[in-house]
Amino acid sequence: MDESSSGVGVLDKAALVLSALETGPTTLAGLVTSTGLARPTAHRLAVALEHHRLVGRDIQGRFVLGPRLAELASAAGEDRLLATAGPVLARLRDITGESAQLFRRQGDHRICIAAAERASGLRDTVPVGSQLTMTAGSAAQVLLAWEDPERMQRGLDGSTFSAVALANVRRRGWAQSVGEREAGVASVSSPVRSPSGKVLAAVSVSGPIERLTRQPGRAHAPAVMAAADRLSEVLRRSGGDS
């Protein structure tokens, strides 16, 4: 068997089509030339891949790589994010003395996908898998602040923060909240970005207002931003994008 062949002919041919589109928009004739496939076969495969959103069309009708590939790449990036999050959050916890979390948006909620809890004393505990609101808290602000205007406006409905607050988050690169999500709890969050700059997650520290004060960003924003930057760098090095 040819080393380039998996033994499953239709998959090998589909891979040829996707590889041909890696260099940019291509006509059907271009696909035939670059893949060596018969014209009917190239057309049938391209249309089938288009059905599954692995292939798309540009404004001129040429075949291009489809949006599903970006979604899969994003999911792979999130796996790399989770694999790296533990040590980064543990270091953030040790530097700040507060519990650290990593949140990802899922619809109208944000999910805690990783955490490093303060070992003892009064602390804000957010178990992995917890679903929290997108209408309150510094992580919610971060996950909403860089959305497109229409989605951001929908997210502001019923929220405890304003459009002005989100503009400040975008300007300084971090958010803080004091008693927004839960009375007596303060937090600071900063965005984790894909190589293209899209916000994929939010790194946070949280704890009692008595320790974090009513201006928690003053003490903890630099450490939180550094942790978020470390995770963003992991995605840049590994090529995780969205």
Side-chain angles (χ1 to χ4, degrees), residues 30-97:
L31 281 181
V32 170
T33 300
S34 58
T35 63
L37 297 172
R39 186 181 182 91
T41 301
H43 182 262
R44 185 172 67 252
L45 286 171
V47 170
L49 290 167
E50 185 179 11
H51 175 76
H52 290 287
R53 300 174 61 245
L54 294 166
V55 166
R57 306 270 189 137
D58 68 7
I59 195 169
Q60 298 174 13
R62 296 174 299 180
F63 293 107
V64 296
L65 292 175
R68 182 61 182 146
L69 294 172
E71 294 166 3
L72 292 171
S74 176
E78 287 170 0
D79 288 342
R80 286 187 287 271
L81 188 61
L82 285 175
T84 313
V88 173
L89 293 180
R91 185 180 180 202
L92 179 60
R93 174 200 60 203
D94 294 343
I95 289 171
T96 63

Side-chain angles (χ1 to χ4, degrees), residues 93-142:
R93 174 200 60 203
D94 294 343
I95 289 171
T96 63
E98 303 297 343
S99 298
Q101 305 91 25
L102 182 66
F103 292 98
R104 184 177 63 209
R105 183 171 186 174
Q106 191 173 90
D108 294 331
H109 297 88
R110 51 186 167 103
I111 312 297
C112 179
I113 59 174
E117 300 293 349
R118 178 184 164 98
S120 62
L122 188 61
R123 60 191 183 273
D124 180 38
T125 299
V126 183
V128 172
S130 297
Q131 286 193 8
L132 301 182
T133 179
M134 276 294 296
T135 59
S138 63
Q141 293 178 42
V142 163

Side-chain angles (χ1 to χ4, degrees), residues 136-237:
S138 63
Q141 293 178 42
V142 163
L143 293 172
L144 191 60
W146 283 273
E147 289 282 11
D148 63 76
E150 183 178 342
R151 194 171 186 190
M152 185 190 301
Q153 192 56 51
R154 289 200 304 269
L156 284 168
D157 290 343
S159 70
T160 59
F161 43 81
S162 65
V164 171
L166 296 186
N168 287 332
V169 173
R170 290 192 298 275
R171 175 180 54 80
R172 66 194 180 195
W174 55 269
Q176 66 180 4
S177 69
V178 179
E180 273 188 22
R181 173 177 62 85
E182 185 178 339
V185 173
S187 66
V188 182
S189 299
S190 187
V192 178
R193 297 179 181 275
S194 75
S196 67
K198 180 179 179 181
V199 174
L200 297 179
V203 172
S204 303
V205 292
S206 60
I209 294 173
E210 286 83 353
R211 281 201 306 267
L212 273 74
T213 76
R214 302 197 71 83
Q215 291 291 332
R218 287 181 179 174
H220 297 312
V224 175
M225 292 176 72
D229 286 345
R230 280 194 290 276
L231 290 175
S232 298
E233 178 61 26
V234 167
L235 296 182
R236 282 193 292 273
R237 288 200 307 267

